[in-house]
């Protein structure tokens, strides 16, 4: 496993170098001397160093890189993924493939009985859920993805992380960091949420990020910054949510000082988004430009 665990270091905002522009002008018969070319201003040093990424530059029709990603499969086998969802996750290229133009496209589509849903009925949709478990993890640093989300009632794309000890600790003791969740019934809003012992499920500590217009209209960059005893959420580089152990409810346990792995998925239906309706367009596509992990300098 490619565990990324840089030594903790308190972040400091670097001050940008300021350049002063001088202007010369002449009047009458006086000719101004040629101005010297301004000295090049070096870019301020970055606080972040890229340590892992998937840029999804594969040929059209190729599936996610097996060195980075593993598929979660099924529905009934996972009890509806804990949310009574309607999609059956597959490893079929129809549901997750490169488009040949630098994007991973995760597609949810209507399907005739791809497998059983949690309620014993045939699932009505297929989709994909991929993760970096046992392959790539991070303890501290910045994790982000640039994505264009699908819209529609019952559509539920997500970019999130689970504790690498999930198999032994179980959920919610493993902890869950929802970097970005979107449900079609609130088209102008995404959500960042933390789940752990004493604050899981509907009691997760979340915050909406309002866009002032449909989220699905464009690509956006969704980010979480994870430091010792602090987690920060950003959209397009602007912070909207921050939590520390002091943010937890009484009896809650902070379980985030350990490795986490990354998940991308596109769900259909479930307890939170509700069922698709006649207005929901299929296929629905979640387009991912890249996923990147940085360490803090």
């Amino acid at each position: 496993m490619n565990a990324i665990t840089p030594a903790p270091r308190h972040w400091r905002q670097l001050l940008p170098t300021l350049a002063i522009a001088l202007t010369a002008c002449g009047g009458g018969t006086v000719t101004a001397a040629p101005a010297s070319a301004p000295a090049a201003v070096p870019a301020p040093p970055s606080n972040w160093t890229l340590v892992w990424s998937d840029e999804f530059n594969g040929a059209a029709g190729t599936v996610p890189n097996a060195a980075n990603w593993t598929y979660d499969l099924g529905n009934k086998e996972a009890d509806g993924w804990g949310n009574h969802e309607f999609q059956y996750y597959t490893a079929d290229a129809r549901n997750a493939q490169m488009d040949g133009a630098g994007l991973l496209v995760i597609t949810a589509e209507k399907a005739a009985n791809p497998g059983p849903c949690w309620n014993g009925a045939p699932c009505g949709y297929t989709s994909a859920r991929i993760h970096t478990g046992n392959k790539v993890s991070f303890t501290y640093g910045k994790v982000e993805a640039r994505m264009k989300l699908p819209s529609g009632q019952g559509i539920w794309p997500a970019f999130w992380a689970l504790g690498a000890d999930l198999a032994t600790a179980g959920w919610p003791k493993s902890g869950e960091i929802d970097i970005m969740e979107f449900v079609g019934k609130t088209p102008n809003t995404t959500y960042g949420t933390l789940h752990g012992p004493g604050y899981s499920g509907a009691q997760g500590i979340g915050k909406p990020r309002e866009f002032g217009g449909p989220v699905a209209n464009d690509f956006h960059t969704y980010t979480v910054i994870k430091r010792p005893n602090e987690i920060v959420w950003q959209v397009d580089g602007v912070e909207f949510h921050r939590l520390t152990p002091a943010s937890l409810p009484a009896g809650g346990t902070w379980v985030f000082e350990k490795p986490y792995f990354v998940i991308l998925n596109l769900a259909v239906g479930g307890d939170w988004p509700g069922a698709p309706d006649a207005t929901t367009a299929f296929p629905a596509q979640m387009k991912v430009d890249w996923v990147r992990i940085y360490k803090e300098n």
Side-chain angles (χ1 to χ4, degrees), residues 195-263:
H195 300 269
Y199 49 100
S200 62
Q203 284 71 50
I205 307 173
K207 188 171 184 180
R209 202 283 191 179
E210 304 294 340
F211 284 70
V215 175
N217 280 359
D218 205 351
F219 281 87
H220 296 281
T221 300
Y222 303 95
T223 304
V224 77
I225 296 172
K226 190 167 176 285
R227 302 187 180 103
N229 296 310
E230 179 183 68
I231 299 175
V232 179
W233 286 256
Q234 298 176 341
V235 172
D236 295 330
V238 178
E239 178 182 332
F240 74 96
H241 192 24
R242 179 184 295 253
L243 293 174
T244 69
S247 309
L248 302 187
T253 305
W254 184 266
V255 291
F256 302 98
E257 311 306 311
K258 60 186 179 184
Y260 277 71
F261 63 90
V262 175
I263 306 163

Side-chain angles (χ1 to χ4, degrees), residues 11-190:
W11 175 78
R12 295 286 186 269
Q13 177 66 47
L14 300 180
L15 297 176
T17 303
L18 301 179
I20 302 173
L22 302 177
T23 308
C25 62
T29 59
V30 180
T31 302
S36 300
V41 179
S46 172
N47 277 353
W48 302 101
T49 298
L50 182 68
V51 293
W52 176 86
S53 73
D54 197 326
E55 305 294 320
F56 303 118
N57 289 329
T62 57
V63 298
N65 185 347
N68 296 334
W69 303 98
T70 298
Y71 293 89
D72 282 326
L73 302 173
N75 182 299
K76 183 177 177 62
E77 302 86 337
D79 195 25
W81 301 101
N83 302 292
H84 303 115
E85 298 164 23
F86 295 174
Q87 79 290 332
Y88 196 90
Y89 284 132
T90 83
D92 195 306
R94 292 177 61 90
N95 297 118
Q97 64 176 266
M98 258 56 72
D99 70 350
L103 299 177
L104 168 67
V105 182
I106 297 179
T107 300
E109 60 183 12
K110 291 183 178 180
N113 190 19
C117 267
W118 53 272
N119 56 4
C123 287
Y125 308 88
T126 60
S127 189
R129 169 167 153 161
I130 60 174
H131 65 83
T132 67
N134 296 318
K135 295 179 179 180
V136 177
S137 65
F138 67 98
T139 299
Y140 302 113
K142 178 168 70 173
V143 183
E144 59 186 8
R146 182 174 183 265
M147 299 184 288
K148 188 174 189 293
L149 306 178
S151 61
Q153 168 58 34
I155 298 299
W156 186 5
F159 168 44
W160 48 305
L162 285 170
D165 61 350
L166 176 66
T168 55
W171 188 90
K173 289 183 179 180
S174 62
E176 176 179 326
I177 305 168
D178 295 328
I179 304 169
M180 184 289 304
E181 288 186 287
F182 173 75
V183 289
K185 66 183 180 182
T186 57
N188 299 345
T189 308
T190 60

